[in-house]
């Protein structure tokens, strides 16, 4: 009795298995790469849109803050009492009690403006 070993590459079953395996691998790889590319483009677009919205919102917030600062500075410039106190403090001796008293009044005025606009 002689045992004759056949070349496994000549087997029909192995050839069918390799063909099915290669075709499944090819189609899975193709679909996977296509979905990866599509997802990558979608994610990039979403990140760009999100970043743009964030920039717009930050710009709107800054516009609001700057408008508030502009209003506050206009109110302070038009306040005759504050202008008078600033003129008085400029003329007062820096080491005098009068200077300290006027500086305290100015500080109180500024605090009133700061807290009223929050």
């Amino acid at each position: 009795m002689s045992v004759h070993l056949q070349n496994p590459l000549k087997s029909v079953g192995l050839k069918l298995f390799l063909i099915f395996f290669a075709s499944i691998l090819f189609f899975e790889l193709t679909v996977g790469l296509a979905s990866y590319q599509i997802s990558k483009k979608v994610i990039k677009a979403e990140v760009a849109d999100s970043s743009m919205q964030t920039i717009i919102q930050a710009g709107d917030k800054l516009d609001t803050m700057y408008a508030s600062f502009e209003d506050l500075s206009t109110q302070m410039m038009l306040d005759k009492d504050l202008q008078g106190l600033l003129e008085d403090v400029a003329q007062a001796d820096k080491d005098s009690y009068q200077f300290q008293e006027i500086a305290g009044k100015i500080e109180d005025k500024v605090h009133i403006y700061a807290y009223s606009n929050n």
Side-chain angles (χ1 to χ4, degrees):
M1 184 161 147
S2 76
V3 177
H4 186 274
L5 294 176
Q6 239 183 342
N7 187 355
L9 294 178
K10 292 183 179 181
S11 165
V12 174
L14 183 61
K15 286 181 182 179
L16 281 174
F17 171 75
L18 290 176
I19 289 171
F20 282 133
F21 183 76
S23 63
I24 289 171
L25 183 65
F26 171 75
F27 289 121
E28 286 293 324
L29 188 62
T30 303
V31 169
L33 288 175
S35 65
Y36 171 76
Q37 292 299 327
I38 291 169
S39 298
K40 183 178 171 182
K41 288 178 185 178
V42 168
I43 289 172
K44 277 186 178 181
E46 289 295 321
V47 167
D49 289 344
S50 177
S51 297
M52 184 59 74
Q53 288 176 354
T54 302
I55 290 169
I56 290 170
Q57 288 174 352
D60 291 344
K61 178 71 174 174
L62 287 173
D63 288 343
T64 303
M65 285 176 50
Y66 288 144
S68 174
F69 290 147
E70 186 178 354
D71 292 343
L72 179 62
S73 62
T74 302
Q75 288 175 8
M76 292 175 75
M77 285 185 345
L78 297 176
D79 186 352
K80 297 292 183 192
D81 293 335
L82 185 59
Q83 288 178 3
L85 288 171
L86 290 172
E87 289 172 3
D88 292 344
V89 81
Q91 294 172 358
D93 183 25
K94 292 189 185 345
D95 296 327
S96 69
Y97 175 75
Q98 182 186 14
F99 179 84
Q100 296 297 325
E101 187 178 36
I102 296 170
K105 288 179 182 179
I106 291 172
E107 187 175 342
D108 291 342
K109 273 278 206 202
V110 171
H111 282 283
I112 290 170
Y113 282 113
Y115 294 132
S116 68
N117 286 319
N118 279 340

